[in-house]
Amino acid sequence: MKRRKKDMDFNKITASLKAQGYRERRVTITSAQAIVKGTLYALPFVLAFGLAYRFLLIDRAYLSEVAGVSFYAVFIGITVVSVILHELFHGIGWALSSRKGWDAVHFNISAFMPSCACRAALSKRKYLVGVLLPFAVLGGASLIFLFLYPGTFSVLTMIVNFILAGADIMIALRVLKEKDVLIADHPTEAGYIAFYK
């Protein structure tokens, strides 16, 4: 039912823009591509801040004795909280930039993974606010945490948050190359539809 509602919202946007003379170009990636390519886009950030930690902060690091099952429980906990906050920040970004509030945002859970999609066609700048807000807020907060409290937990938090933002960075770079378009977030896949005349 929820999927059908998202498809109906998206079809409404598409039909309205086509009636105004826009043509569409689909720019989406599969889940596997989002994971692999997103990790590659995040890697420079992880390496740069990992090296900063290793050479500048290791002397005052709080290294945890957590190992084995406990380590994986901590890692999963950090990942779950980060994923939820990541999607929430996408929603906040689009709710604010679209000026339509939460009506412009749709949250979903599929295969136990939360996701967020924007239900409005936006200018490049407004779309990028929602795409990059998790990177800016969670990435920035992770770095502050890393420098204030260097150690096992802050390194894991930094790695998780930058890896989660990798696909967003990739999508943002593609959006920046678009010219004179409106961007509609794809309701079920990673990516967007570019509408141009």
Side-chain angles (χ1 to χ4, degrees):
M1 180 71 174
K2 286 183 182 178
R3 170 116 183 201
R4 205 165 62 198
K5 169 91 169 93
K6 280 199 319 190
D7 289 343
M8 284 170 52
D9 289 341
F10 184 70
N11 291 339
K12 225 190 270 186
I13 292 169
T14 302
S16 171
L17 289 170
K18 284 184 174 178
Q20 296 172 49
Y22 282 92
R23 290 177 288 165
E24 68 177 81
R25 184 176 60 256
R26 183 182 174 129
V27 183
T28 59
I29 55 175
T30 65
S31 296
Q33 288 173 320
I35 292 167
V36 174
K37 290 183 178 180
T39 300
L40 293 176
Y41 275 83
L43 208 51
F45 296 97
V46 173
L47 288 174
F49 298 123
L51 288 171
Y53 165 78
R54 173 65 184 92
F55 292 109
L56 302 175
L57 305 170
I58 195 77
D59 291 340
R60 59 186 185 89
Y62 301 94
L63 300 176
S64 171
E65 297 295 324
V66 176
V69 174
S70 297
F71 174 82
Y72 291 109
V74 167
F75 178 71
I76 289 168
I78 289 170
T79 302
V80 167
V81 170
S82 294
V83 166
I84 292 168
L85 289 174
H86 183 98
E87 297 305 326
L88 180 62
F89 279 112
H90 278 312
I92 290 169
W94 284 320
L96 294 174
S97 68
S98 70
R99 298 181 188 232
K100 295 180 179 182
W102 294 110
D103 289 339
V105 176
H106 180 80
F107 292 100
N108 188 37
I109 296 180
S110 177
F112 300 107
M113 285 298 294
S115 65
C116 178
C118 182
R119 294 192 231 197
L122 303 174
S123 67
K124 281 171 38 172
R125 184 180 58 80
K126 290 179 179 181
Y127 183 73
L128 286 172
V129 169
V131 171
L132 292 175
L133 194 61
F135 170 74
V137 174
L138 296 177
S142 294
L143 292 180
I144 291 168
F145 182 37
L146 182 68
F147 281 90
L148 292 179
Y149 190 81
T152 307
F153 299 121
S154 57
V155 168
L156 284 175
T157 302
M158 180 271 295
I159 291 169
V160 166
N161 281 298
F162 280 107
I163 295 290
L164 286 176
D168 297 335
I169 296 165
M170 178 175 61
I171 288 168
L173 291 172
R174 291 181 89 165
V175 169
L176 287 170
K177 293 177 184 175
E178 301 283 1
K179 300 229 187 302
D180 301 321
V181 294
L182 288 176
I183 305 289
D185 200 37
H186 196 282
T188 57
E189 296 177 29
Y192 60 91
I193 307 294
F195 290 93
Y196 61 98
K197 287 190 175 180

